[in-house]
Amino acid sequence: MDKAFDIIVFGATGFTGRLVAEYLHTTYGVGRGVAWAMAGRSLEKLTQVRDALGTAPALPLLVADAGDAKALARLVAQTRVVITTVGPYQKHGQALVDACAQAGTDYVDLCGEPGWMAQMIPRLQGPAAVSGARIVFSCGFDSIPFDLGVVYLQHEAMQRLGVPLVRVHGRVKVMKGGFSGGTAASLLATLETAGRDPTLARTLGDPFALTPGFRGPGQPDDNTAAFDELAQSWTGPFVMAPINTKNVHRTHALRGHPWGTDFVYSERMLTGGGAGGEKRAKALARNTRVQNALLAFGPTRALIRRFALPQPGQGPTKEQREKGRYEVLFIGQTADGRTLRASVKGDRDPGYGSTCKLISETALCLAREINPDMTPGGVWTPGAAMGLTLVRRLQEHAGLSFQILDEPRAS
């Protein structure tokens, strides 16, 4: 069905949404091959964003509120794919994703809220399969570099070794720049919900929470300090591992478990070797436990929300975003002990500069390069829906690099 737009950016007046709009404007312009529009609840604010970005007045501005189901149904009917940056999704995302699933409109977001995603998978799968909508969560820093990093490494293992890797370690080597305020707000919203719903706590701790009907083997406890023999480095907890690991296992399940039903994935931060690395790893583990305990306390969350999180319209400067970068090391091992290493690098800060490029190019990949025969309607991950096609696009357009670091070797 012909649509007026390739992409509608919903939430374009927020800080991250504005960065997405800015990226589309500077990269693709208006009327130059990509038909896109900005949407939000205030025409006045949308006009201000358009003018501030220097975007042509011809760029369409569409008004809809996140809670207005009828307005959202009219909105999504006009486009091939919706990009939404309006979170926390468990508070503001239900009506929009429902509208997309019903209308057959593809959907991408920045969701890092596994409890909400676990609820949405059974809710949306049926309607999306009927309508043809491809619903793809977690299309920013959480979890594209990790999800696609594993897909890429496993593909290279099959090419070079002829067998899959039965375990993969994802190790954050460099991270310069912060997480977005939206990521932190989503975490706080998740903790508040968990306080009211004990089943959510079990979901958060379950690496297979997003693979209904399948449970794999026991997975590593990544909340402690530990020496990684494959990386030859001490490691500590990585704050985004609880969502990234779930998406990796969901990608594996959606692809039909090509890496084996006994596949194990671990995700941590590298802290270095020797006594110094051990000290840093233990400090990171200790700080993580303290932070989790504090975040579980309601008054602490209220203070963080009021004083620590970026307020609407706030975020790092352009210079700060451009100076940021990250690198994730992936080390995999076959059943017979051979190993293969790869790195994924991003050229901007993870929470804002890289994320706005990742979600934009993911939306364009889904709309233009992934036909329904390849990926039919349903609830997907980036790695399962687009795989190596998205890897190629992100390397060409989004400042990511995927690279094998050495030839396979025996452990």
Side-chain angles (χ1 to χ4, degrees):
M1 185 184 299
D2 291 336
K3 301 291 184 76
F5 306 111
D6 295 311
I7 292 173
I8 289 177
V9 181
F10 186 68
T13 59
F15 191 86
T16 303
R18 177 173 171 155
L19 292 179
V20 172
E22 181 179 27
Y23 175 77
L24 291 172
H25 163 62
T26 57
T27 307
Y28 298 102
V30 176
R32 300 207 311 259
V34 175
W36 63 286
M38 297 194 303
R41 62 183 179 180
S42 168
L43 179 60
E44 179 182 1
K45 291 182 178 179
L46 287 167
T47 303
Q48 291 172 356
V49 170
R50 184 179 64 186
D51 293 347
L53 294 178
T55 308
L59 178 71
L61 306 179
L62 309 173
V63 178
D65 188 274
D68 187 338
K70 291 182 178 179
L72 292 174
R74 292 192 295 269
L75 181 78
V76 305
Q78 302 177 62
T79 188
R80 299 177 69 182
V81 59
V82 170
I83 292 175
T84 175
T85 61
V86 180
Y89 296 95
Q90 59 197 284
K91 291 186 175 181
H92 308 297
Q94 183 72 71
L96 179 62
V97 74
D98 278 345
C100 288
Q102 292 292 334
T105 298
D106 294 343
Y107 164 104
V108 297
D109 70 17
L110 301 174
C111 188
E113 305 164 40
W116 185 72
M117 293 162 62
Q119 294 173 354
M120 291 302 101
I121 290 168
R123 177 187 178 97
L124 300 172
Q125 179 62 35
V130 171
S131 72
R134 281 86 63 87
I135 308 297
V136 188
F137 299 129
S138 305
C139 298
F141 181 65
D142 51 338
S143 299
I144 277 182
F146 305 90
D147 183 24
L148 291 182
V150 176
V151 170
Y152 169 78
L153 182 64
Q154 289 283 14
H155 170 77
E156 292 296 322
M158 292 301 299
Q159 297 297 308
R160 297 162 186 258
L161 305 175
V163 293
L165 304 162
V166 295
R167 65 167 170 153
V168 172
H169 292 181
R171 299 295 184 249
V172 179
K173 184 177 180 180
V174 176
M175 193 171 71
K176 184 179 181 182
F179 303 109
S180 72
T183 296
S186 293
L187 173 60
L188 294 178
T190 296
L191 292 170
E192 288 174 351
T193 303
R196 299 189 300 269
D197 181 5
T199 62
L200 179 56
R202 292 194 293 272
T203 298
L204 297 177
D206 181 2
F208 298 102
L210 303 184
T211 60
F214 172 78
R215 294 204 61 79
Q219 300 293 308
D221 178 5
D222 284 331
N223 295 312
T224 62
F227 186 79
D228 184 345
E229 293 288 347
L230 294 182
Q232 285 296 294
S233 172
W234 280 91
T235 63
F238 178 53
V239 66
M240 296 172 70
I243 179 59
N244 294 335
T245 54
K246 292 174 178 59
N247 278 321
V248 167
H249 286 298
R250 179 161 175 79
T251 289
H252 188 209
L254 290 170
R255 293 168 72 96
H257 295 108
W259 315 326
T261 55
D262 57 349
F263 173 69
V264 171
Y265 177 66
S266 165
E267 189 171 294
R268 292 171 161 270
M269 289 196 73
L270 294 175
T271 59
E278 180 179 10
K279 183 177 179 180
R280 287 187 290 271
K282 289 181 176 178
L284 184 57
R286 182 172 59 252
N287 291 341
T288 300
R289 290 194 299 271
V290 171
Q291 290 168 5
N292 289 341
L294 289 173
L295 287 172
F297 186 50
T300 300
R301 293 196 300 269
L303 288 172
I304 292 173
R305 182 174 288 106
R306 182 173 180 182
F307 297 109
L309 291 183
Q311 297 303 302
Q314 294 180 343
T317 66
K318 182 177 181 179
E319 181 181 10
Q320 290 170 329
R321 297 194 301 270
E322 291 182 349
K323 285 185 175 180
R325 63 188 179 92
Y326 55 89
E327 179 178 358
V328 185
L329 174 67
F330 294 90
I331 311 172
Q333 189 173 51
T334 63
D336 61 4
R338 289 174 291 169
T339 62
L340 188 65
R341 301 190 310 154
S343 75
V344 177
K345 297 179 181 179
D347 67 349
R348 295 290 188 272
D349 83 293
Y352 295 98
S354 184
T355 282
C356 72
K357 296 193 291 184
L358 296 178
I359 194 170
S360 298
E361 294 299 338
T362 298
L364 285 168
C365 183
L366 189 62
R368 296 190 160 190
E369 299 189 60
I370 307 298
N371 66 54
D373 293 333
M374 297 169 58
T375 303
V379 184
W380 294 90
T381 60
M386 290 161 274
L388 295 177
T389 302
L390 183 55
V391 168
R392 174 192 53 76
R393 188 176 187 99
L394 295 177
Q395 292 197 107
E396 292 176 355
H397 299 286
L400 258 66
S401 67
F402 294 75
Q403 181 181 9
I404 294 297
L405 296 178
D406 50 28
E407 289 301 313
R409 57 187 179 182
S411 295

